[in-house]
């Protein structure tokens, strides 16, 4: 504040000079107003009413208008205004409802001129006519606006706001007869001063009280309004219907708004509560204030530009009992402090990045640096930087796209849409989903579904063909395990390698089949294992192209693979027999307590020498006869779900969770389930799969999730004619008694689904419009618009 | 004179009128706990309420939608005499108890219990004890304040002040609650709590003011039901007028006949309306009128010797209220007249400097979103509610009367409107009504049927309920204004 910057502005003949300064008042100010010579300012409040001269270095108290033995309530000012034509004339609005005029030309100490006691409640605002010397307007809490002619003792005319409290009144600067008034219920009215019987125009500007308004000094018909809803809106009143031109969202309710002189799009605001700063906004840039004055320690109650043609001096009064002069050049500019970089991931893995142009330029100049820094983040999926395609005033936007084909998420959408989650027996669901997965080339997932089905459905029902298939698969995965060590090293080279494996596997499976048909059942076991087991996933031939590869393989899992596998195979089927098989003790400790894991590893036996696997197989066959209950596998299945979820395939986790329902739910932590559900629903909604997401919400058993469907189920409709909300019914407006939504085809009221064209806003019954647009491409209303229906 | 209210036994004193007290002291019996009237209210004949109810589907719909207990409780039944208002009431209450908010559900009900306990309102306490348990509250807390977390206990101070002397709340109180520490409150939580407290203090006023009967179903779901069912003294309910009370029957205008009483009131309203145009009181006059009204309110109840008795005799009465007082500390702390002389001079709250519309709303809505709109709607609703009737007369503009009621309540809490002529209060509100208002807003637990009956004898019960609604909302707003002003000051 003490920055000494002097500004001299040439304004025709006169020149304003000054600096940012403040002076202490004895009491909180409620309003300020500037004399037309820009050299004096009046400050009014509950217990202060003074005139200060604005000198170059300081404010000098010139006159105290609060005189008299006992201060009366007439002096408790809510508002003050200085006449812009006559420098001796002032008017104040008192909290007790009195309007007082003051004549500085009076010789006596008491400058009080006239007293109008016509309002019954607090007068919120007074306003002089900009060009007429004797016309004064007041707006009061009692819902009336009164126009006074200062040559007479009473008001000339009274305007009724239908018992809604008036918060502000302002004469139009351009139109001689027009004034605007704002109301506590959010309305703004336009009046002709000659027509007190009714307002010329009325519209709802804000939600909640409109505290202030200001006419643009140059643009005829531009009115800025500020309300308790924290918005500043700029209206164009020249058109038939008041049109909202700009809207600025502030952080607190707006108490005052004042257009900045000589700057067409700038306006200053201060707030009623909480926020003490004064902002100057460029209405075209509604998110960041152009300038900010932070001098006050309590709410600013009054602001005024010092001179109607000088944009650099702003005066303000505040509840903290100070009067300030702000210099525009001393203002802090939030824009400069704002972080100009933005970063966002697209739905399909694209990345958008906005930054200052200068930064982007520097980046291209210094490739190595940025490359080093960002490669791990940005190019995780071999993104190639696309050209920056659009730029704002000072920032450039770059979009990085995913290599076509490489990371397409179409499988996710397809899967989501085609999976069956309910409504059929478990076996069918599993089969169906397995089929879907296979068709999409996700064999691992398909396997998992098949296994689930085998685990949870009675084996007798399994058709043999299907079994055969699974056998083949199983062995194909199990046998070439040795290769897996190569795989993890070269994720991208997976394709060719696995192909090889598969061919091997196929031949092997043949032999297996030949060798013993009795192994069928054991192979089921095998399959379970693959699905649930981390390392084996990488063995599946068809996983190429899935995102799994992108995840770095966990070394802990990968390296001790072999011993771990050996260990489990014994642990489960024949614990006592193979106990002596050599194995790392620490792994034993890790896993021994969880028999399910070992059980799952049964198939890993197949990676052991062929003959031994045969022996194992027969054993496990025997074991099967004893009929393991599905419960036995549930822990294993849970692990599998966790595995999928951690892999990023939350879709699988949730789908299995839903399909299996009670069978596994109890084994998974409620919170984890909820987490999966919400992530999956979030993903679905990003892909706009509303129906699927809704189905998932519906099928979820987690309370927190299923209540998502219960929230905000209300649809609010506004009448298309009077713009008021329609409360009782959605199709007839209570106020204007018109049917809001008529079908353009049949001309009846639409009570159900209403579809409309976003181009011409005509519409009607969904069926009718669909039918119509099959035959014609023009709008059924005959407006000539070429409607599109998709 | 029972004015200090500082003695610990004072709280217990106003439960019984002197006569009954004497009787009770004699044979030391527990007083009768069965209400003598049936229906939702002890003051209003059952048929008045029920008649209105059977017709009203809207009420049933509202109850279904917004009631937390899912049944038509007595408060709702009485309020349903004013369905328009009932809707905004239930909506805001439902919002603060059930919808998104910073406080967990059981806490909300516990706070409601704490608030109601300040006025020994067993009706509300019972109701919320049930709800508290239903929403998963820890049963142990119901044993009393010592059993709740320190954090909730810290709320006690602000609860006490808000209920009885809201003007004493300063930003230091707020600071103490929100300053970082183990048990600190976040501002949104605090605002939520303050809204709940103010709501339930005010609702307690309504419950006593309208003589709400305990819920009829005697299901004792928890062991925490409180034995005493109602705080109305038996003699009041029996309505025998054997106790002569001069201050209630006599009034300033010496009107004996209740019918002419009404006429006179109408006459005065009309006169005031006309007077306004020509006669204008000087500002000094206006100020003195406010002071006078403030001071006079001081004598309104204290002059009522009916309930003034020495404290010492009734030590044993503490037992009766102990069930309730476990939720509060310092039970002796009560309303103290704002206009009391002698002590340090408290600055009058200038309504124009901190209004609900400008300031309170913005703050509340900022910290506890949407409640601002609901409360705003409720305040507007109650302030503007009118049927343009007065007793048997129709087409009456009652604005003046409503404003007088509203402002008189605020006056007792030291809130002054610059643009209001407090002379009107004197003209419009007869003494018995003032007694009633003061009792209902400041010591609701002392309300008796006699007080309820003694004012506006020609008026319909629904109109008296309307008065109660006004008193309740005015009180809530006053409490909120003080609390929010303190929070604002803390923020700046």
């Amino acid at each position: 504040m003490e920055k000494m910057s002097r500004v001299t502005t040439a304004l025709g003949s006169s020149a304003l000079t000054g600096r940012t300064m403040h002076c202490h008042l004895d009491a909180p100010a409620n309003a300020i107003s500037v004399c037309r010579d820009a050299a004096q300012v009046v400050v009014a409040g509950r217990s202060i009413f003074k005139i200060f001269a604005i000198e170059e270095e300081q404010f000098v108290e010139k006159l105290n208008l609060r005189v008299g033995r006992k201060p009366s309530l007439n002096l408790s000012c809510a508002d003050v205004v200085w006449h812009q034509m006559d420098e001796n004339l002032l008017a104040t609005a008192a909290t007790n409802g009195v309007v007082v005029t003051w004549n500085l030309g009076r010789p006596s100490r008491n400058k009080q001129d006239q007293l109008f006691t016509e309002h019954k409640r607090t007068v919120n605002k007074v306003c002089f006519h900009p060009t007429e010397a004797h016309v004064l307007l007041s707006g009061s809490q009692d819902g009336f606006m009164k126009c006074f002619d200062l040559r007479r003792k009473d008001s000339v005319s009274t305007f009724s706001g239908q018992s809604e409290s008036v918060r502000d009144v302002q004469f139009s600067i351009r139109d001689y007869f027009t004034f605007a008034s704002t109301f506590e219920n959010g309305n703004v009215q336009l009046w002709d001063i000659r027509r007190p019987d009714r307002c010329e125009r009325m519209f709802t500007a804000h939600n909640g009280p409109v505290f202030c308004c200001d006419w643009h000094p140059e643009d005829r018909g531009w009115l800025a309004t500020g309300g308790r809803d924290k918005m500043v809106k700029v209206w164009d009143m020249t058109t038939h219907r008041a049109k909202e031109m700009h809207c600025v969202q502030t952080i607190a309710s707006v108490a005052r708004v004042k257009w900045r002189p000589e700057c067409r799009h700038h306006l200053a605001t201060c707030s009623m509560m909480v926020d003490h700063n004064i902002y100057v906004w460029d209405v075209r840039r509604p998110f960041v204030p152009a300038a900010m004055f932070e001098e006050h320690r309590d709410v600013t109650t009054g602001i005024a530009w010092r001179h109607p043609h000088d944009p650099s001096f702003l005066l303000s009064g505040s509840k903290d009992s100070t009067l300030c002069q702000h210099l525009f050049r001393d203002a802090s500019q939030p824009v400069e402090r704002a972080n100009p970089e933005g970063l966002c991931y697209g739905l399909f893995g694209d990345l958008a990045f906005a930054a200052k142009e200068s930064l982007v330029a520097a980046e291209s100049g210094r490739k190595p640096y940025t490359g080093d820094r960002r490669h791990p983040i940005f190019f995780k999926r071999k993104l190639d930087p696309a050209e920056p395609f659009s730029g704002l005033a000072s920032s450039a936007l770059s979009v990085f796209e995913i290599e076509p084909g490489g990371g397409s998420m179409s499988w996710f959408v397809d899967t989501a849409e085609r999976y069956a989650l309910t409504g059929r027996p478990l076996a069918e669901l599993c089969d169906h989903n397995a089929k879907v997965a296979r068709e999409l080339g996700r064999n691992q997932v398909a396997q998992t579904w098949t296994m689930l089905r085998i685990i949870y459905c009675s084996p007798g029902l399994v058709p043999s063909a299907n079994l055969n298939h699974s056998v083949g698969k199983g062995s194909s995965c199990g046998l070439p395990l040795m290769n897996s060590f190569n795989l993890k090293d070269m994720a991208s080279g997976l394709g060719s390698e696995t192909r090889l494996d598969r061919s091997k596997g196929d031949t092997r499976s043949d032999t297996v089949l030949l060798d013993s048909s009795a192994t069928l059942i054991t192979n089921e076991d095998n399959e379970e294992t693959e699905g649930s087991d981390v390392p084996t996933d990488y063995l599946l031939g068809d996983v190429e192209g899935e995102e799994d590869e992108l995840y770095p393989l966990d070394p802990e899992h990968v390296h001790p693979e072999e011993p771990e596998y050996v260990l489990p195979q014994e642990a489960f089927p024949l614990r006592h027999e193979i106990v002596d098989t050599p194995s790392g003790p620490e792994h034993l400790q890790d896993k021994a307590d969880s028999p399910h894991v070992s059980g799952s590893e049964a198939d890993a036996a197949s990676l052991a020498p062929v003959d031994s696997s045969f022996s194992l197989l027969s054993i496990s066959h025997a074991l099967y006869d004893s009929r393991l209950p599905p419960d036995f596998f549930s822990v294993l299945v849970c692990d599998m779900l966790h595995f999928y979820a951690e892999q990023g395939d939350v879709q699988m986790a949730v789908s299995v969770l839903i399909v299996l329902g009670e069978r596994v739910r109890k084994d998974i932590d409620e919170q984890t389930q909820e987490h999966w559900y919400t992530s999956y629903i979030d993903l679905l909604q990003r892909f706009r799969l509303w129906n699927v997401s809704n189905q998932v919400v519906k099928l979820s058993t987690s309370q927190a999730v299923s209540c998502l469907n219960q929230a905000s189920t209300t649809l609010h409709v506004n009448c298309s004619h009077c713009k008021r909300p329609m409360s009782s019914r959605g199709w007839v407006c209570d106020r204007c008694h018109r049917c809001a939504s008529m079908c353009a085809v049949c001309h009846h009221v639409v009570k159900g689904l209403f579809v409309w064209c976003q181009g011409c806003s005509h519409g009607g019954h969904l069926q009718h419009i669909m039918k119509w647009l099959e035959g014609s491409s023009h709008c059924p209303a005959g407006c000539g618009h070429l409607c599109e229906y998709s | 004179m029972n004015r200090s209210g500082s003695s610990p036994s004072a709280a217990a004193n106003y439960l019984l009128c002197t006569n009954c007290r004497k009787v009770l002291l004699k044979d030391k019996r527990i007083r009768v706990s069965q209400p003598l009237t049936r229906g939702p209210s002890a003051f209003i004949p059952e048929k008045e309420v029920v008649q209105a109810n059977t017709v009203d589907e809207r009420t049933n719909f509202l109850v279904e939608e917004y009631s937390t207990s899912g049944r038509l409780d007595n408060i709702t039944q009485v309020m349903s005499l004013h369905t328009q208002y009932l809707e905004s009431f239930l909506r805001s209450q439902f919002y603060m108890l059930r919808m998104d908010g910073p406080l967990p559900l059981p806490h909300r009900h516990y706070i409601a219990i704490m608030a109601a306990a300040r006025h020994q309102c067993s009706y509300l306490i019972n109701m919320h004890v049930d709800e508290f348990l239903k929403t998963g509250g820890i049963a142990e807390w119901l044993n009393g304040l010592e059993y709740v977390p320190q954090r909730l206990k810290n709320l006690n101070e602000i609860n006490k002040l808000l209920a009885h002397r809201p003007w004493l709340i300063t930003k230091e109180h707020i600071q103490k609650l929100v300053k970082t520490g183990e048990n600190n409150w976040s501002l949104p939580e605090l605002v939520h709590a303050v809204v709940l407290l103010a709501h339930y203090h005010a609702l307690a006023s309504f419950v006593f003011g309208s003589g709400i009967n305990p819920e009829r179903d005697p299901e004792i779901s928890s062991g925490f039901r409180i034995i005493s069912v109602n705080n109305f003294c038996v003699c009041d309910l029996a309505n025998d007028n054997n106790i002569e009370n001069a201050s209630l029957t006599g009034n300033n205008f010496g009107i004996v006949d209740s019918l002419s009483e009404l006429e006179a009131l109408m006459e005065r309203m009309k006169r005031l309306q006309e007077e306004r145009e020509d006669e204008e009181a000087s500002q000094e006059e206006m100020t003195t009128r406010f002071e006078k009204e403030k001071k006079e309110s001081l004598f309104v109840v204290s002059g009522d010797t009916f309930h003034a008795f020495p404290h010492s005799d009734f030590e044993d009465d503490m037992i009766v209220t102990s069930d309730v007082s476990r939720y509060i500390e310092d039970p002796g702390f009560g309303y103290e007249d704002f206009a009391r002389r002698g002590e340090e001079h408290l600055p009058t709250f200038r309504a124009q400097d901190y209004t609900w519309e400008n300031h309170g709303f913005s703050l509340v809505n900022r910290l506890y979103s949407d409640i601002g709109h609901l409360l705003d709607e409720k305040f507007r609703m109650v302030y503007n509610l009118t049927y343009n009737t007065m007793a048997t007369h129709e087409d009456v503009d009652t604005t003046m009367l409503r404003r007088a009621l509203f402002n008189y309540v605020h006056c007792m809490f030291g809130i002054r409107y610059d643009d209001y002529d407090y002379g009107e209060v004197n003209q419009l509100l007869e003494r018995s009504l003032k007694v009633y208002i003061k009792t209902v807003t400041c010591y609701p637990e002392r309300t008796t049927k006699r007080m309820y009956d003694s004012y506006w004898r020609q008026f319909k019960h629904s109109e008296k309920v309307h008065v109660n609604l006004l008193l309740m909302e005015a009180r809530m707003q006053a409490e909120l204004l003080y609390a929010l002003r303190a929070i604002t000051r803390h923020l700046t």
Side-chain angles (χ1 to χ4, degrees), chain A residues 407-428:
Chain A
S408 155
M409 290 286 281
S410 59
W411 62 269
F412 178 88
V413 180
D414 278 352
T415 316
E417 279 172 345
R418 291 170 58 191
Y419 265 1
L421 299 178
T422 183
R424 283 190 263 173
L426 178 64
E428 275 180 43

Side-chain angles (χ1 to χ4, degrees), chain B residues 38-89:
Chain B
R38 298 181 59 242
S41 163
F43 295 171
I44 307 165
E46 193 182 3
K47 63 174 193 309
E48 288 258 348
V49 183
V50 175
Q51 252 175 7
N53 260 347
T54 43
V55 205
D56 205 346
E57 276 175 42
R58 182 92 188 126
T59 309
N60 287 328
F61 166 76
L62 287 172
V63 167
E64 235 165 74
E65 188 110 326
Y66 297 116
S67 164
T68 47
S69 59
R71 62 165 182 217
L72 185 69
D73 54 33
N74 289 344
I75 294 187
T76 317
Q77 276 190 55
V78 173
M79 276 190 195
S80 66
L81 291 167
H82 304 276
T83 329
Q84 278 173 296
Y85 169 81
L86 180 68
E87 176 163 7
S88 23
F89 172 83

Side-chain angles (χ1 to χ4, degrees), chain B residues 92 156 160 164 195 220 268 272 327 459:
Chain B
S92 64
N156 191 50
K160 184 177 87 178
H164 306 296
V195 170
I220 294 167
R268 281 197 299 279
L272 273 174
Y327 298 116
F459 283 66

Side-chain angles (χ1 to χ4, degrees), chain A residues 46 72-74 76 95-96 120-122 164 167 184 211 228 251 253 272-274 276 298, chain B residues 276 283 350 352-354 357-359 361-363 366 373 376 380 403 416 418-419 488 492:
Chain A
R46 176 170 288 285
S72 98
L73 269 182
N74 291 348
S76 162
T95 48
N96 64 350
K120 289 179 197 140
R121 309 270 316 259
T122 300
E164 267 306 325
R167 301 307 302 237
E184 205 144 80
F211 287 140
R228 193 172 69 181
I251 57 167
S253 52
M272 184 77 87
M273 278 288 288
V274 191
H276 310 156
D298 203 337
Chain B
R276 237 189 234 287
Q283 294 315 305
R350 299 296 192 133
Q352 269 83 357
D353 289 352
Y354 200 97
E357 285 81 14
N358 295 0
H359 306 92
F361 172 89
S362 301
L363 184 68
R366 184 186 197 88
H373 290 287
D376 199 36
R380 271 169 167 271
R403 197 164 162 220
R416 180 183 171 187
D418 285 346
D419 53 0
T488 309
T492 49

Side-chain angles (χ1 to χ4, degrees), chain B residues 165-411:
Chain B
R165 302 174 209 167
W167 54 89
L168 292 181
I169 291 180
T170 60
K171 71 174 180 190
E172 282 74 28
H173 292 112
I174 306 294
Q175 262 153 10
K176 222 172 16 186
L177 286 170
V178 299
K179 78 157 185 268
T180 33
E182 207 186 330
N183 298 311
N184 74 316
W185 287 76
S186 72
L187 274 176
E189 283 172 326
L190 183 62
V191 167
H192 192 172
V194 161
V195 170
L196 280 167
L197 288 175
H199 179 82
Y200 280 98
H201 292 151
L203 193 57
S205 281
F206 181 82
V207 168
F208 287 113
S210 317
I212 300 293
N213 269 337
E215 293 300 329
R216 227 174 304 166
D217 55 344
E219 46 139 338
I220 294 167
S221 57
S222 59
F224 298 98
R225 281 263 183 195
I226 289 145
I227 327 135
S228 84
V229 179
N230 216 323
N231 287 334
F232 305 116
C233 187
V234 191
C235 74
D236 288 324
L237 298 171
N239 206 15
D240 59 337
N241 280 322
N242 59 350
I243 304 160
E244 202 51 51
N245 182 9
S247 72
L248 287 177
T249 43
N251 64 34
N252 295 344
F253 307 96
I255 295 154
V256 197
D257 182 23
S258 59
L259 210 102
S260 54
E261 200 174 70
L262 169 68
E263 302 296 342
L265 177 59
M266 301 268 305
E267 185 56 39
R268 281 197 299 279
M269 279 175 71
K270 214 169 137 196
R271 210 171 51 226
L272 273 174
Q273 205 108 45
E274 285 158 1
E275 260 175 28
R276 237 189 234 287
E277 255 78 278
D278 34 69
E279 183 255 346
E280 193 59 44
S282 78
Q283 294 315 305
E284 292 75 18
E285 174 66 21
M286 298 286 263
T287 313
T288 42
R289 278 182 193 172
F290 174 74
E291 296 299 327
K292 190 169 148 237
E293 211 49 54
K294 227 165 60 173
K295 256 171 250 147
E296 201 170 89
S297 76
L298 200 146
F299 299 108
V300 160
V301 170
S302 1
D304 176 11
T305 51
F306 186 46
H307 277 106
F309 24 72
H311 315 299
S312 52
D313 313 348
F314 305 107
E315 296 294 329
D316 49 319
D317 267 351
M318 283 305 285
I319 306 153
V320 182
T321 49
S322 65
D323 289 318
V324 173
S325 62
R326 67 187 166 198
Y327 298 116
I328 50 173
E329 277 167 8
D330 192 5
F333 191 89
Y335 176 83
E336 196 172 65
D337 292 295
F338 183 82
R340 274 159 55 93
R341 292 230 156 163
E343 290 171 29
E344 89 266 45
H345 191 65
L346 290 157
T348 306
F349 187 117
R350 299 296 192 133
Q352 269 83 357
D353 289 352
Y354 200 97
T355 63
W356 164 256
E357 285 81 14
N358 295 0
H359 306 92
F361 172 89
S362 301
L363 184 68
V364 136
N365 223 32
R366 184 186 197 88
L367 293 169
Y368 178 21
S369 56
D370 290 349
I371 193 71
H373 290 287
L374 292 167
L375 293 178
D376 199 36
E377 194 200 316
K378 187 161 68 121
F379 290 143
R380 271 169 167 271
M381 170 64 71
V382 82
Y383 200 88
N384 294 327
L385 187 69
T386 183
Y387 307 97
N388 293 319
T389 56
M390 266 176 77
T392 46
H393 297 256
E394 283 182 7
D395 273 335
V396 191
D397 181 8
T398 58
T399 318
M400 209 184 250
L401 210 50
R402 283 179 280 136
R403 197 164 162 220
L405 287 167
F406 204 86
N407 288 357
Y408 186 61
V409 173
H410 278 191
C411 167

